[in-house]
Amino acid sequence: MQDISLHLLDIAENSVNAGATRVDIRIVEDAPGDRLCVEIRDNGKGMDSATMRKALDPFYTSKPGKRIGLGIPLLAQAAREGGGKLVIDSDPEEGTCIVATFMLSHPDRKPMGDVDGTVRMLQITHPEIEFTYEFMRQEE
Amino acid sequence: MKLKPEDLDRISQRMKATTILREGAGRVKITVHMGTCGIASGARDILSSFLKHIEETDAKDIIITTSGCAGLCSHEPMATVELKDEPPVKYIDLSVDKVARIFDEHVMGGQIVKEFALAIGSERIS
């Protein structure tokens, strides 16, 4: 993936496939703390704790007939390479929240890319789902 | 971050276009494959290109949506075009130029662009 907005699109498509009716995307650019935080929260079917642990394994997928699931592992790798990490919180009753953090100034952090365009595409192609997008910038 | 009046105008125009596209219904359904493999191969540009053509022609009878991986990752980006009462046609190895032809000839003109379609024998049994 060339930029973070493409990862975001990929994870949001997972939310769509998980039956979410609402997907909240939140990005916080914290310059004083040298931190970039990308959060995707949905109200889809969620994962139990065993599935959640396996979600970071690229050779695991919950999709029938498939052998690999690269979306979350690729975002986790991008976060690690950008000096951050990925955290998953999920509950079968409530949905899933994926938070990827990056060091804002890290030379290997991927560029943000076109987040506005990505959210607009999600809104157009899935009119039955409510997408929200919040961007916060904390400046020095 | 503070918004200026011109920002609000821009958002308003963009949302108007989005609303028109969300209300598309009827004659044609375009599905862009948006699995991880598709996105990594450029599916967002393909979707963006289809949206641009729909907006330019002001067509209101086209549904555009996405799907997951179709199992032919090496042929991504892919899209499926389905005209009402006709079988779906899966297009493979797409580019923005190919999308322009598919939109003109198949979506608007009803003629399948055979050279870009998935041919018999291109699927491998592993």
Side-chain angles (χ1 to χ4, degrees):
Chain A
M1 302 276 183
Q2 291 170 334
D3 59 49
I4 293 171
S5 73
L6 288 174
H7 285 286
L8 200 154
L9 176 61
D10 192 18
I11 301 300
E13 286 286 339
N14 286 351
S15 299
V16 171
N17 294 327
T21 57
R22 183 184 169 102
V23 180
D24 299 318
I25 296 162
R26 187 164 180 266
I27 296 175
V28 180
E29 205 178 280
D30 173 11
D34 194 19
R35 203 170 117 101
L36 175 68
C37 179
V38 178
E39 178 183 308
I40 304 117
R41 181 184 295 273
D42 70 47
N43 65 350
K45 66 183 176 187
M47 295 177 270
D48 57 32
S49 53
T51 307
M52 202 165 68
R53 278 195 299 276
K54 287 188 280 191
L56 288 167
D57 178 356
F59 297 102
Y60 171 78
T61 178
S62 59
K63 290 175 190 159
K66 302 272 166 68
R67 288 175 294 180
I68 54 171
L70 296 178
I72 296 174
L74 281 175
L75 178 55
Q77 183 187 19
R80 276 196 309 274
E81 288 174 355
K85 63 179 180 179
L86 181 132
V87 176
I88 308 173
D89 185 20
S90 190
D91 186 307
E93 301 294 318
E94 293 178 12
T96 299
C97 179
I98 291 181
V99 182
T101 52
F102 304 81
M103 263 176 76
L104 203 52
S105 64
H106 199 290
D108 290 330
R109 177 181 66 78
K110 290 184 182 182
M112 269 317 295
D114 183 9
V115 178
D116 284 359
T118 293
V119 174
R120 180 170 178 255
M121 280 181 201
L122 287 164
Q123 289 172 332
I124 290 169
T125 53
H126 304 288
E128 71 285 5
I129 299 173
E130 185 179 357
F131 290 93
T132 70
Y133 169 40
E134 181 184 2
F135 177 82
M136 284 177 62
R137 176 177 288 147
Q138 293 165 356
E139 295 181 6
E140 306 257 13
Chain B
M1 195 166 63
K2 286 179 183 165
L3 288 174
K4 296 173 188 160
E6 53 266 34
D7 293 330
L8 290 173
D9 283 345
R10 206 174 55 244
I11 291 168
S12 165
Q13 286 301 316
R14 203 182 61 192
M15 289 316 293
K16 194 175 165 190
T18 301
T19 305
I20 289 168
L21 285 167
R22 278 165 70 110
E23 287 169 354
R27 190 179 59 84
V28 190
K29 182 179 178 186
I30 301 169
T31 306
V32 179
H33 298 228
M34 281 281 185
T36 305
C37 49
I39 293 169
S41 306
R44 188 176 63 179
D45 290 342
I46 299 304
L47 176 57
S48 179
S49 183
F50 273 119
L51 291 174
K52 183 172 77 77
H53 289 295
I54 294 170
E55 283 175 313
E56 281 172 2
T57 53
D58 202 26
K60 305 247 184 338
D61 54 359
I62 298 170
I63 297 169
I64 187 153
T65 189
T66 62
S67 70
C69 169
L72 290 163
C73 307
S74 61
H75 285 303
E76 296 285 1
M78 295 169 56
T80 303
V81 175
E82 188 171 1
L83 269 61
K84 194 175 181 187
D85 301 325
E86 289 186 25
V89 177
K90 213 175 279 299
Y91 289 105
I92 58 173
D93 301 318
L94 289 176
S95 65
V96 168
D97 291 341
K98 288 179 181 178
V99 167
R101 271 196 61 194
I102 291 164
F103 190 84
D104 285 346
E105 294 176 27
H106 193 179
V107 176
M108 300 307 285
Q111 298 298 312
I112 297 169
V113 188
K114 290 180 183 170
E115 62 201 274
F116 303 154
L118 179 65
I120 294 169
S122 68
E123 287 182 88
R124 196 160 45 102
I125 299 168
S126 55

